[in-house]
Amino acid sequence: TLVVAGTETTATTLAWMMHFLTDYPAVQRTVQQEADAVLGEALLLPEFQAHERLRYIEAMAYETLRLKSVAPVLSLEPLQAVEVGGLHLPAGTAVFLLTRYGGLHAPAFANADQFQPERWLTASQEPHTGHTPQAFMPFGGGPRVCPGRHLALLEIRTVMAMLGRNFTLTTPVDAP
């Protein structure tokens, strides 16, 4: 289950990233410039540590996950009775959390409806600045955080770098 879930969600995130590359040519140019700088003449990452220098691509991945979360719902149930926000939840109560809401919530992110990868590079990480990373939960959080999140982000950075280095993506033009 972990392998299949990780494959599907990573592929879907990459597909949304490619969609955003075609919608935002300036973002695509920045991705291409970063990929060219890190990969040089190579078609693939030259060494494992090179992925750490793909900061803009990582920011683009976070922004894509913020707007187009591929796992927008987390389900859980308390093992013992608990009170959350004044609401009593008996043990075993099914609870469904909408993770996408936090990423689209205007108090958590300035211009929350806009695609802005730079917010992950330049914004202060304080709640009063309009950039609250704690509201961003594409991999869940706490003790049940996705165990494959680091692998997924590594795959995303690697594939996007190779795409940026070797291709320019465009939307298809309808034939007359």
Side-chain angles (χ1 to χ4, degrees):
T1 300
L2 289 174
V3 172
V4 173
T7 301
E8 180 66 25
T9 53
T10 300
T12 302
T13 300
L14 285 164
W16 276 116
M17 290 175 77
M18 288 184 270
H19 167 78
F20 284 127
L21 288 177
T22 63
D23 279 356
Y24 298 92
V27 169
Q28 184 164 191
R29 282 190 299 278
T30 304
V31 165
Q32 290 171 324
Q33 290 167 353
E34 181 174 79
D36 288 346
V38 173
L39 274 68
E41 294 299 316
L43 299 177
L44 308 169
L45 286 178
E47 73 273 342
F48 176 76
Q49 292 77 16
H51 78 88
E52 295 170 1
R53 297 192 311 266
L54 299 169
R55 301 251 311 119
Y56 188 83
I57 291 173
E58 180 178 65
M60 187 197 175
Y62 285 151
E63 188 68 351
T64 299
L65 287 164
R66 185 184 70 79
L67 290 171
K68 301 292 185 183
S69 176
V70 294
V73 179
L74 292 177
S75 62
L76 53 103
E77 62 181 59
L79 297 177
Q80 57 192 9
V82 65
E83 188 169 313
V84 178
L87 182 64
H88 176 74
L89 300 174
T93 301
V95 178
F96 298 92
L97 303 172
L98 300 175
T99 60
R100 189 167 181 243
Y101 175 78
L104 299 175
H105 194 54
F109 294 96
N111 303 311
D113 60 333
Q114 296 177 15
F115 182 73
Q116 298 175 344
E118 294 77 13
R119 79 174 74 236
W120 298 96
L121 299 173
T122 60
S124 170
Q125 308 262 318
E126 296 295 322
H128 67 280
T129 65
H131 183 79
T132 310
Q134 295 82 0
F136 170 73
M137 296 182 58
F139 298 105
R144 302 243 188 249
V145 70
C146 174
R149 68 192 178 282
H150 297 297
L151 177 60
L153 289 170
L154 172 63
E155 291 173 340
I156 287 168
R157 286 190 305 263
T158 301
V159 170
M160 271 295 126
M162 290 186 295
L163 284 173
R165 173 69 184 88
N166 297 294
F167 300 96
T168 297
L169 302 178
T170 60
T171 54
V173 178
D174 291 333

